[in-house]
């Protein structure tokens, strides 16, 4: 592979895979564990929802370009987290 094709491959294929692993798997599962420890009185469904909201908020902040873009990425994170 050339340098340009390697860059395109990592940007288009590998980057989104790692981003999904981080935000949709590791963070949500981590937040579920954390919220279960701190909010024992909440139901499992509410803890799952809180974990998705927290992960989506970090997803939006990680895609900082403008406030509008953060908001749109937050909404997209909610959609992907469900």
């Amino acid at each position: 592979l050339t340098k340009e094709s390697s860059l395109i491959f990592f940007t288009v294929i590998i980057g989104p895979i790692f981003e999904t692993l981080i935000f949709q798997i590791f963070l949500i599962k981590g937040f579920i564990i954390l919220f279960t420890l701190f909010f024992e009185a909440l139901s499992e469904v509410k803890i799952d929802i809180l974990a998705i909201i927290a992960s989506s908020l970090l997803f939006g902040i990680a895609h900082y370009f403008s406030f509008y873009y953060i908001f749109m990425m937050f909404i997209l994170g909610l959609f992907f987290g469900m």
Side-chain angles (χ1 to χ4, degrees):
L1 293 171
T2 65
K3 184 177 180 181
E4 289 83 15
S5 62
S6 294
L7 180 63
I8 291 170
F9 174 74
F10 279 100
T11 303
V12 175
I13 305 295
I14 302 300
I17 290 172
F18 276 107
E19 184 178 56
T20 300
L21 285 172
I22 292 168
F23 287 102
Q24 300 300 318
I25 296 173
F26 298 138
L27 274 179
I28 290 177
K29 289 186 185 293
F31 279 130
I32 288 172
I33 293 167
L34 184 70
F35 294 154
T36 301
L37 294 173
F38 284 103
F39 304 113
E40 296 172 0
L42 290 179
S43 69
E44 191 174 323
V45 172
K46 289 181 181 178
I47 288 175
D48 290 349
I49 291 170
L50 278 176
I52 291 170
I53 290 171
S55 174
S56 298
L57 183 61
L58 290 177
F59 182 75
I61 292 169
H63 291 87
Y64 175 75
F65 181 70
S66 67
F67 181 73
Y68 175 75
Y69 198 72
I70 290 173
F71 177 74
M72 294 307 295
M73 291 299 103
F74 171 72
I75 298 299
L76 195 59
L78 289 175
F79 177 74
F80 287 148
M82 297 294 176

